[in-house]
Amino acid sequence: MSLIYSVSKVSDLVASVRRGHSALSSTVRILRRSMSTKNFGIATGNEAHAKAIVSEKIEVNGVRLYYEKTGVGKHKLLLLPGALGSTRTDFAPQIANLDKTHFTVIGWDPRGYGKSRPPDRDWPSDYFRRDVDDAAALMQKLGHKKYSLLGWSDGGITSLILAAKYPERIKKLVVWGANAYIKREEVPLFEGIRDIDTWSERMRAPFMALYGEDYFRNQWSQWVDAYCAYGTERDGDICIDDLKNIACPTLIVHGQKDPAIVQEHPDYLHAHIKGSRLINMPEGKHNLHLRYADEFNKMVTEFLLEDSTGDDEEKAKL
């Protein structure tokens, strides 16, 4: 990768997040309007009960993990956020607008993220796989034996590994902004967004509000180190060998204007996950589920309900 190419792509990546962050800000407002911090289902009427949100922290693998749950549907969905993300920052339109009569939607903050603190986040070499075990243990503790995964970015990588490691538990898989490897020439893209002082105020604001400046600045830099280590120290392999073990129906969504994840990556996932489906969104960027939330939610709902035992009747109600 030439220096000119690297600088150009880094600029595209920062600019994309800057432009897209207005969508994130608006979705956070959506979530604030649609929910209270805690609501344990004490409501009148079936509709109100379906929209109620349960939120709490429970002990999982030696840490207390925060989760939110909404909906009364038989089809359980687990939402997995991106780097330093949380249920509230990453999935506002999905928490608010996915059909609560068809789905039970569970969002969680991985250890050291969002409200799953303490402890502070640390970054062992197997941090993706630790998140996998935490997510699986959380769902088991909540009593959900079979569920689908919606994973964005780092959460998409976690979802790929989870579906491969626990195939008997995963009903369907949806990933976007995810990759099974990172090439050495892609490392400068991520090094280029290490310094949060180069970000726009609107881009920084939700993370600052969630974490405070010191924690976020330090953790973001540690994430860049941990993620880029796959490209510089491990021949780029994040979860290549796991893909062959994914047995569930899989939908890969790709924003073709995503400066962080180029077309090569969803194409590779599609080629190596048996029976998977790839949908390209020509105008989509990395945060396509926020910017094009209605289109994304409709697409995901149709995929999750189609040709699924026990879901045909639910689909007929749409």
Side-chain angles (χ1 to χ4, degrees):
M1 177 183 289
S2 70
L3 177 60
I4 293 175
Y5 176 75
S6 299
V7 172
S8 173
K9 292 295 286 183
V10 169
S11 298
D12 287 348
L13 181 56
V14 173
S16 173
V17 179
R18 284 176 177 171
R19 289 192 299 269
H21 213 74
S22 59
L24 175 56
S25 298
S26 66
T27 54
V28 169
R29 290 195 296 272
I30 289 171
L31 188 55
R32 285 173 177 166
R33 288 196 302 267
S34 67
M35 63 183 289
S36 60
T37 303
K38 279 197 174 185
N39 186 330
F40 290 94
I42 302 172
T44 58
N46 292 335
E47 183 177 355
H49 179 68
K51 292 181 178 179
I53 294 178
V54 174
S55 62
E56 64 175 334
K57 295 177 76 169
I58 61 173
E59 187 83 13
V60 174
N61 290 341
V63 297
R64 291 181 60 78
L65 296 180
Y66 175 82
Y67 77 94
E68 296 180 356
K69 181 164 69 171
T70 184
V72 295
K74 293 182 178 180
H75 194 143
K76 309 302 189 293
L77 308 179
L78 178 63
L79 311 180
L80 296 96
L84 273 293
S86 69
T87 298
R88 298 209 173 194
T89 58
D90 287 17
F91 292 113
Q94 287 69 51
I95 291 287
N97 297 322
L98 284 173
D99 194 309
K100 309 301 193 304
T101 61
H102 294 88
F103 303 116
T104 296
V105 183
I106 300 117
W108 76 305
D109 296 356
R111 65 169 71 197
Y113 283 15
K115 294 186 178 183
S116 290
R117 296 175 291 144
D120 288 353
R121 180 76 174 191
D122 63 343
W123 300 94
S125 59
D126 61 346
Y127 70 93
F128 280 119
R129 296 178 190 276
R130 183 180 64 181
D131 286 344
V132 164
D133 290 338
D134 285 349
L138 172 67
M139 293 299 278
Q140 185 174 26
K141 193 155 190 178
L142 293 177
H144 304 314
K145 296 180 179 180
K146 193 86 170 179
Y147 47 92
S148 293
L149 304 173
L150 273 64
W152 176 35
S153 195
D154 269 23
I157 295 172
T158 303
S159 297
L160 292 168
I161 301 170
L162 201 162
K165 185 171 182 178
Y166 301 103
E168 72 284 356
R169 303 186 191 184
I170 307 307
K171 191 170 188 177
K172 291 193 175 184
L173 171 65
V174 182
V175 295
W176 64 105
N179 48 305
Y181 59 87
I182 175 175
K183 297 191 294 186
R184 184 174 288 271
E185 56 264 35
E186 292 175 309
V187 168
L189 298 179
F190 298 95
E191 289 287 357
I193 57 172
R194 179 190 297 273
D195 184 1
I196 64 172
D197 290 333
T198 64
W199 300 12
S200 70
E201 178 60 28
R202 185 165 56 183
M203 179 178 170
R204 288 193 301 264
F207 294 105
M208 295 293 199
L210 183 62
Y211 294 115
E213 180 176 352
D214 290 344
Y215 187 86
F216 177 58
R217 185 182 295 276
N218 177 265
Q219 288 293 328
W220 184 255
S221 183
Q222 289 190 59
W223 174 81
V224 172
D225 287 338
Y227 185 75
C228 290
Y230 283 100
T232 58
E233 300 173 12
R234 302 186 188 182
D235 297 324
D237 186 357
I238 301 175
C239 61
I240 290 173
D241 289 340
D242 296 278
L243 302 183
K244 65 180 182 297
N245 296 321
I246 297 175
C248 64
T250 300
L251 174 64
I252 304 154
V253 184
H254 176 60
Q256 292 186 297
K257 292 187 177 180
D258 185 342
I261 302 297
V262 297
Q263 187 71 48
E264 172 184 334
H265 289 295
D267 287 347
Y268 185 90
L269 296 179
H270 182 41
H272 290 84
I273 300 175
K274 185 176 180 180
S276 64
R277 183 185 312 175
L278 172 62
I279 296 179
N280 289 310
M281 296 180 65
E283 298 301 315
K285 298 184 176 66
H286 198 62
N287 66 342
L288 58 87
H289 67 299
L290 301 177
R291 177 160 290 218
Y292 301 103
D294 291 344
E295 180 181 352
F296 177 85
N297 287 353
K298 183 176 185 292
M299 179 194 315
V300 166
T301 297
E302 290 177 350
F303 170 74
L304 291 173
L305 296 184
E306 71 182 12
D307 301 325
S308 297
T309 303
D311 283 342
D312 293 337
E313 182 179 348
E314 295 296 311
K315 185 182 178 184
K317 295 177 184 176
L318 289 176

